Amino acid sequence: MARGIAQELEHDDRVVFLGEDVASAGGVFKSTVGLLDRFGPRRVRDTPISEQAILGAAMGAAMTGLRPIAEIMFSDFLAVCWDIVANEIAKTRYMTGGQVSLPLVIRTANGGGLRFGAQHSQAVENWAMAVPGLKVVAPATPRDVVGLFAAAVRDPDPVIFFEAKGLYPGKGEVPDGEIVDELGTARVLRNGRDCTIVALAAMVPRALEAAETLAGLGIDATVVDVRSLVPLDTRTILESVAATGRLFTVEENPRLVGWGAEVVSIVAEEAWSELSGPAVRITTPHVPLPSADALEDHARPSAARIVETVRKTLG
Amino acid sequence: MPTPTDLGLPETPAFASRVDDELALRLYRSMLRMRRLEKRAYDLFLQNLVKGTSHLALGQEAIAAAFGEAMRADDWTFATYRGHAHTLARSVPMEPVMAELLGRSTGLLSGKGGSMHLTSVEHHMMGSYAIVGAHLTVANGAAWSAQLRGTDQVAVCFFGDGTTNIGAFHEALNLAATWRLPVVFVCENNFWMEYTPIDTVTAVPRPAADRSAAYGLEPVFVDGNDVLAMYDAASAALARARSGDGPTLVEAATYRHGGHSRADPGKYRAEDEIRAWLARDPIDTYRGHLVATGVDEARLKEIDDDVARELDEATEAAKAAPPPDVDLVERDVWADGGASWRN
């Protein structure tokens, strides 16, 4: 993450970065270590615990020529500044007839896996997806963290960048040099003929693991990493469903109005005749996330639950 | 609520400050444009031509007008849903404002914002915000951008007394003071938080001035109906911001002649309270002051006629304009001009 932010601070001197504990301390997840030393206190700035002030500052700076990156430490805290996100940042371009541009990124640690309990573990990408005017990105690999983050910072619209905090310790190859990806592009990570498993962020490695297990059981699964909920690469998903005839979504968000519901709805409307059986959503149940290992692990979709659901559904 | 005398205000504005003749008349013209446009908007509402809601600043014009004249052309305004006056104060023409209130294609926001969201980036009028408190934090961002880019611009943020009790006010003041941002916060205290007297829901008598010490700022309390005192206060705050000394929190005591919004006749207020404040009307008293200090009535009459003509022309042009094309519904969600969320 620090590499991704550094790449953008280096690339464009209009880029500035602010948030709680992001400068001197290098971030509570140590994901911003070294940025203050390298870019100085004018461009990498600690703030008080004032989420509305953080996002308001990002918005005002964006509308007057800067390209701010604002950190909201835990995505749960978006609830205390949701007015700035949903009423101000999301709507201002539209309400002003296109007069105001808001090229900014809100990056935030999202989702469970660290036993933090219900106020520091939520997967809230579906909150953001429900508000017109916000782009919503959630990478699953270190390479995408850099490449999609660059695309988000360089995008002319506000982007909420959800970092799966459970994946922070994860490892993966990131090539040298500048990496700039494209928003609104899903990626097919594994090709199989029997079913399509569509997953996001922390659920992607679990879907891949499940697919390997399923292969051993004679079920050959395609795995699609959605990567970006808005814009949504429906083409890749529809093409895959057309090839396999079966759809599973793996969502960390609680059940109701999760992003998978939208995906299933699109497939039902546009690829009904391609489906050879019901589309099935695998989600966290509609509960606040509990903290104990056994409970949290049970609540979030696991590779084992994916395997079991797919196996049962396909008979 | 306290009477003007309780607040240490004279029965009519003192007009003790002096400005040059041209500026004196510009201030008069500016206030008159606001007053006339808002009265016309109210008439059009009664004819069911202006829809939705609107929040008039009748009686509060001196604050917006004084800042409008004191600000540099590239300083930014951030206003509230009661923002018609602040928009006109930045020399935005009447016609697109009126057309926006009427929901016409020629509206300032093409009919997509309405009364509560007047914005004209071209005039550095950076928006009217309808969620109480939010825009204080946004004004900070503009000020931060000016500070980082070294442009000497100042962000000026207007809000009501009720805003001083919402969290964003305190977050914004603390950040502005800590970062020494070039921002001026202007609390227009009209003593009524919507339908409730502000002193019954606030821990201190002066909702903004009495909080300033918490942010290391000097209390500034001004007669908001005295356009010359307001001009002085605005100039001082803008100069302080431009010199790098950080924010100012100005509390301007004023009064809205009408209710909170147009659904509200404001009947909860005592007759003698309204009478006392009508006697302090910022425009009538200022006109009297100008005449008393030797300004030729004919020059004032010229301005009156000029503003009346501008308003009539703007109203007729706005009424004659077509409604917006419905294609606009799915335009300008994104920078590419569209609303698409998928491929």
Side-chain angles (χ1 to χ4, degrees):
Chain A
M1 200 59 235
R3 174 174 160 186
I5 299 169
Q7 177 184 296
E8 295 313 296
L9 284 162
E10 191 68 57
H11 172 256
D12 185 342
D13 60 14
R14 296 170 299 173
V15 175
V16 289
F17 175 41
L18 77 167
E20 296 158 12
D21 294 328
V22 301
S24 299
V28 294
F29 295 104
K30 297 296 166 202
S31 62
T32 60
V33 170
L35 296 175
L36 173 65
D37 288 345
R38 186 162 162 202
F39 296 98
R42 285 169 59 82
R43 297 183 67 200
V44 178
R45 196 142 196 194
D46 281 324
T47 69
I49 300 177
S50 300
E51 280 82 9
Q52 294 185 80
I54 293 168
L55 294 191
M59 175 174 172
M63 69 203 286
T64 54
L66 298 182
R67 300 181 82 93
I69 302 162
E71 176 177 313
I72 296 298
M73 191 186 286
F74 287 78
S75 63
D76 314 71
F77 307 166
L78 285 169
V80 302
C81 52
W82 198 239
D83 170 48
I84 312 288
V85 178
N87 287 323
E88 316 300 341
I89 289 172
K91 293 178 173 56
T92 293
R93 172 184 289 281
Y94 187 83
M95 288 198 304
T96 62
Q99 291 183 60
V100 174
S101 287
L102 294 171
L104 63 87
V105 176
I106 300 167
R107 55 172 293 256
T108 187
N110 189 53
L114 300 180
R115 321 313 187 198
F116 287 162
Q119 295 179 341
H120 288 71
S121 303
Q122 294 172 84
V124 303
E125 59 274 3
N126 56 328
W127 297 1
M129 191 187 186
V131 181
L134 301 174
K135 292 182 177 173
V136 183
V137 180
T141 68
R143 186 197 168 114
D144 281 357
V145 161
V146 178
L148 289 176
F149 187 73
V153 174
R154 297 178 194 195
D155 196 89
D157 294 309
V159 180
I160 306 199
F161 193 78
F162 287 102
E163 299 163 21
K165 69 172 87 70
L167 296 182
Y168 278 144
K171 299 209 183 307
E173 196 179 322
V174 185
D176 289 338
E178 189 181 78
I179 306 173
V180 185
D181 211 316
E182 192 185 344
L183 303 187
T185 54
R187 188 155 285 164
V188 178
L189 299 180
R190 185 185 194 286
N191 260 307
R193 62 181 184 282
D194 296 329
C195 67
T196 299
I197 303 174
V198 178
L200 183 78
M203 298 298 105
V204 172
R206 294 175 180 211
L208 284 170
E209 187 190 334
E212 290 308 311
T213 309
L214 287 165
L217 300 170
I219 296 172
D220 192 10
T222 288
V223 175
V224 177
D225 177 358
V226 184
R227 305 203 311 157
S228 164
L229 294 176
V230 182
L232 183 64
D233 181 2
T234 53
R235 192 179 301 140
T236 297
I237 296 167
L238 288 164
E239 280 171 5
S240 177
V241 171
T244 65
R246 302 302 293 252
L247 171 66
F248 297 85
T249 63
V250 188
E251 305 160 56
E252 187 172 355
N253 47 228
R255 174 81 190 188
L256 297 188
V257 206
W259 59 262
E262 188 60 49
V263 169
V264 168
S265 148
I266 290 166
V267 168
E269 278 186 41
E270 300 175 29
W272 181 255
S273 58
E274 315 280 2
L275 286 171
S276 53
V280 175
R281 294 177 58 207
I282 301 161
T283 75
T284 295
H286 207 60
V287 297
L289 209 63
S291 71
D293 304 45
L295 299 178
E296 190 183 37
D297 286 344
H298 184 77
R300 299 168 77 225
S302 61
R305 176 137 66 98
I306 299 166
V307 168
E308 190 52 25
T309 308
V310 172
R311 203 183 51 78
K312 263 198 204 154
T313 308
L314 296 187
Chain B
M1 67 159 280
T3 65
T5 320
D6 294 339
L7 297 161
L9 301 172
E11 275 184 33
T12 59
F15 299 120
S17 302
R18 287 285 165 269
V19 296
D20 69 58
D21 290 354
E22 286 311 307
L23 174 56
L25 293 177
R26 283 207 304 278
L27 289 166
Y28 176 70
R29 176 191 293 269
S30 179
M31 288 194 289
L32 199 64
R33 288 178 80 231
M34 300 164 186
R35 174 69 56 94
R36 292 274 174 86
L37 179 124
E38 288 207 315
K39 285 195 151 180
R40 178 66 53 85
Y42 190 74
D43 292 344
L44 294 171
F45 162 65
L46 295 176
Q47 296 169 38
N48 201 29
L49 287 170
V50 170
K51 310 287 174 58
T53 187
S54 72
H55 304 76
L56 304 181
L58 298 171
Q60 305 186 179
E61 295 91 343
I63 303 161
F67 268 92
E69 293 302 322
M71 287 163 75
R72 221 166 67 179
D74 62 347
D75 290 338
W76 296 292
T77 293
F78 292 84
T80 69
Y81 50 85
R82 199 182 302 286
H84 306 155
H86 307 89
T87 305
L88 293 178
R90 300 311 304 275
S91 305
V92 176
M94 283 183 179
E95 185 186 331
V97 172
M98 191 59 90
E100 187 63 28
L101 301 186
L102 288 163
R104 303 303 161 113
S105 60
T106 52
L108 197 56
L109 317 169
S110 313
K112 293 175 91 169
S115 165
M116 295 202 284
H117 299 296
L118 297 180
T119 303
S120 181
V121 170
E122 175 194 348
H123 296 90
H124 289 77
M125 165 55 186
M126 302 306 281
S128 305
Y129 296 78
I131 307 292
V132 167
H135 68 309
L136 279 76
T137 70
V138 183
N140 272 348
W144 180 40
S145 153
Q147 185 185 61
L148 284 175
R149 294 181 295 122
T151 61
D152 282 341
Q153 289 163 285
V154 179
V156 180
C157 181
F158 301 89
F159 52 92
D161 41 279
T163 301
T164 64
N165 291 327
I166 206 163
F169 169 86
H170 300 277
E171 289 194 17
L173 262 292
N174 180 60
L175 192 79
T178 307
W179 290 10
R180 294 176 80 83
L181 295 176
V183 58
V184 181
F185 296 109
V186 186
C187 175
E188 302 176 326
N189 181 4
N190 64 26
F191 299 94
W192 287 89
M193 181 217 81
E194 303 201 6
Y195 301 60
T196 302
I198 191 68
D199 62 355
T200 65
V201 292
T202 307
V204 290
R206 301 183 304 177
D210 292 340
R211 261 86 171 249
S212 54
Y215 305 105
L217 304 173
E218 291 297 319
V220 179
F221 186 81
V222 191
D223 182 351
N225 285 17
D226 180 337
V227 74
L228 300 180
M230 278 312 307
Y231 184 82
D232 280 355
S235 302
L238 290 162
R240 175 180 151 88
R242 244 184 278 286
S243 69
D245 290 337
T248 301
L249 173 58
V250 176
E251 180 171 335
T254 187
Y255 197 74
R256 60 169 149 79
H257 289 174
H260 166 69
S261 67
R262 67 166 156 235
D264 168 25
K267 292 293 184 203
Y268 40 80
R269 306 178 304 178
E271 282 300 325
D272 56 347
E273 172 189 315
I274 296 172
R275 232 184 346 264
W277 279 97
L278 284 176
R280 311 186 85 261
D281 180 81
I283 301 177
D284 293 349
T285 55
Y286 183 58
R287 198 178 200 284
H289 164 76
L290 291 176
V291 172
T293 52
V295 174
D296 189 351
E297 279 266 16
R299 286 197 73 184
L300 297 173
K301 179 77 171 46
E302 216 173 279
I303 294 173
D304 297 346
D305 292 346
D306 207 29
V307 170
R309 189 165 49 244
E310 183 191 4
L311 178 60
D312 285 343
E313 287 171 6
T315 308
E316 290 318 307
K319 281 162 84 172
D325 194 308
V326 294
D327 287 354
L328 279 187
V329 168
E330 297 203 54
R331 218 174 283 160
D332 286 330
V333 171
W334 309 121
D336 67 7
S340 173
W341 51 269
R342 59 172 288 192
N343 57 10

